[in-house]
Amino acid sequence: MGPKPGSRTVLITGGSSGIGVDLVKGFAALGDKVWFTYNSGKQRADEVLSSLPNGSNAEAFQYDMGSWESVQGLLQKLPSTPDIFVANAGLGTATVEEYVQGHHLQSQALMQANAVGPLWLTEGLLPGMKSRGSGNILFVASVGGGITVFPGMRLADGMSKAAVACLARQLAAETTHSGITVCCICPGATDTNMFQASSLNHLSPEERAAFIAGLPQGRLIPPREIAEQCIFLCSDAARSLHGAVIDASAGAGVRPGLVDKNH
């Protein structure tokens, strides 16, 4: 059993946007010490910090999730090994185009940022968790790749998310008797800038409404809903879910054709 809420240290990658913002706010509201990363959005990170209640203990670190040097730099900056690590940062089919030009380089960037970066950071944090005999590691993947496949998605995007789900299962197998709990959550159509860019921004208002109506449950999933599930998965009540790869897609994982019809 690990520390109780209010006395934990939590590391969240990608905490300045999307689900990450609600993760930072959710853990901070419990009284936990929160360290979160951002890549180029320092202003957004500062806004997240300023939005937290007075007395919150939070700090933001610049971090490039696909860079070995940045991984090592972050590990050196952290005051200690966190009790909880949420590997939330990631690139998507549309957002990778903002950073890298060229199809082959974009494919490499997706694999590097979404799969290799979390692997490197996890390997850097594991020794401290093992020596302490406790810890929580939660990977945030995607229903596309982590659970099922959707035609029309960039191949490297789905591959990278499948790799994350595999990493979670493999790591769980390796840490069964270590006191560390490992899980993976695979959100579906979540109302984030990343999903907006990949699936909605190119649609007319009418097409957008039809797209959302055709999604499982006829809705976009609020980021806070996924964040609350993540926070639960990092609690002692979820220890029996060690090794689980959880479909948090509102039904897209079991009926992907609903989404296929909209592409």
Side-chain angles (χ1 to χ4, degrees), residues 5-255:
S7 62
R8 303 174 299 187
T9 53
V10 184
L11 173 63
I12 302 163
T13 60
S16 63
S17 63
I19 297 167
V21 174
D22 286 297
L23 284 169
V24 172
K25 291 181 178 180
F27 280 112
L30 293 173
D32 294 320
K33 181 185 297 183
V34 181
W35 304 318
F36 70 94
T37 73
Y38 64 92
N39 186 0
S40 57
K42 186 178 187 306
Q43 181 177 346
R44 293 197 307 271
D46 289 340
E47 290 170 354
V48 172
L49 289 170
S50 64
S51 72
L52 300 177
N54 290 336
S56 298
N57 192 341
E59 187 173 357
F61 298 88
Q62 196 282 329
Y63 168 64
D64 179 353
M65 54 198 170
S67 164
W68 169 258
E69 291 75 17
S70 189
V71 168
Q72 297 307 304
L74 177 62
L75 290 170
Q76 292 173 9
K77 291 175 186 175
L78 293 177
S80 61
T81 299
D83 299 301
I84 296 170
F85 168 43
V86 183
N88 168 71
L91 290 176
T93 296
T95 53
V96 70
E97 297 173 358
E98 301 174 10
Y99 297 100
V100 183
Q101 299 301 312
H103 180 81
H104 68 294
L105 293 176
Q106 290 170 356
S107 295
Q108 182 178 359
L110 284 165
M111 295 299 296
Q112 193 76 12
N114 292 346
V116 179
L119 168 65
W120 284 341
L121 187 50
T122 300
E123 289 177 329
L125 296 172
L126 266 177
M129 289 187 175
K130 287 181 176 179
S131 65
R132 189 177 58 210
S134 67
N136 283 85
I137 298 173
L138 175 62
F139 297 99
V140 181
S142 173
V143 64
I147 301 295
T148 188
V149 295
F150 299 96
M153 300 296 288
R154 189 190 290 263
L155 295 178
D157 193 350
M159 288 172 62
S160 66
K161 303 302 172 53
V164 170
C166 180
L167 171 59
R169 289 192 294 266
Q170 181 68 38
L171 185 61
E174 303 289 347
T175 57
T176 300
H177 297 294
S178 68
I180 300 168
T181 301
V182 183
C183 292
C184 177
I185 188 167
C186 299
T190 307
D191 192 8
T192 63
N193 289 338
M194 182 182 293
F195 185 78
Q196 298 271 355
S198 66
S199 302
L200 298 178
N201 287 351
H202 64 285
L203 301 178
S204 68
E206 294 76 15
E207 290 171 333
R208 179 188 177 103
F211 181 95
I212 294 174
L215 290 173
Q217 300 183 354
R219 69 184 182 113
L220 294 175
I221 303 170
R224 181 173 179 81
E225 189 172 316
I226 301 297
E228 289 174 348
Q229 294 164 7
C230 292
I231 291 169
F232 168 75
L233 290 171
C234 295
S235 69
D236 284 341
R239 292 177 69 208
S240 61
L241 292 173
H242 179 71
V245 176
I246 296 168
D247 181 349
S249 68
V254 291
R255 197 173 173 187

